[in-house]
Amino acid sequence: QVQLVESGGGLVQAGGSLRLSCVASGRTFILYAMAWFRQAPGKEREFVAAIRWSGVRTYYRDSVEGRFTISRDTAKKTVYLQMNRVKPEDTAVYYCAASTNSFNDDPTNYDYWGQGSQVTAAS
């Protein structure tokens, strides 16, 4: 199995920056891709960004493209989400997720999930 532990959430002023981290442990050799999803109050969980566990391919939702950057440090088994020019509509609980066979934006294809980290962008 794989365990995911997130950190780095908090309060940020609109226009500011924040970086989320997700450390993977356990059988990480089975991973195919990692992703970040988010869920705002009263809304469904939505895809934010994904990255292949090996290689360099990345994928973003349109509303964060150019502002957020997903990256990976394989040696540290850590995935990051650098959030720049944060907007109030980015406020949500952010979840790290791992897939053993898919690289896409469908949360049902992700097998392992972190506990969630609150990000609040104040206007």
Side-chain angles (χ1 to χ4, degrees):
Q1 302 303 309
V2 175
Q3 296 78 41
L4 304 175
V5 178
E6 303 154 10
S7 61
L11 176 66
V12 60
Q13 292 296 315
S17 298
L18 199 65
R19 190 177 78 162
L20 302 179
S21 301
C22 174
V23 179
S25 61
R27 303 177 67 206
T28 57
F29 61 88
I30 65 174
L31 296 180
Y32 187 79
M34 300 283 290
W36 291 94
F37 290 80
R38 66 187 182 187
Q39 187 166 19
K43 295 187 177 181
E44 293 188 354
R45 189 169 298 190
E46 64 180 21
F47 170 78
V48 177
I51 188 168
R52 286 283 305 273
W53 186 245
S54 61
V56 297
R57 284 187 64 192
T58 58
Y59 174 36
Y60 297 91
R61 72 178 296 106
D62 289 345
S63 63
V64 308
E65 182 106 47
R67 298 190 297 121
F68 292 7
T69 302
I70 188 170
S71 61
R72 167 193 33 81
D73 185 329
T74 304
K76 294 183 178 180
K77 299 182 180 179
T78 301
V79 174
Y80 304 97
L81 183 68
Q82 178 66 45
M83 307 168 61
N84 297 329
R85 291 182 281 132
V86 173
K87 301 177 180 180
E89 52 264 41
D90 294 322
T91 295
V93 176
Y94 283 71
Y95 296 91
C96 175
S99 174
T100 58
N101 57 18
S102 299
F103 173 66
N104 57 37
D105 59 5
D106 184 351
T108 65
N109 288 330
Y110 287 80
D111 309 286
Y112 304 99
W113 292 82
Q115 78 283 5
S117 185
Q118 177 70 46
V119 171
T120 303
S123 56

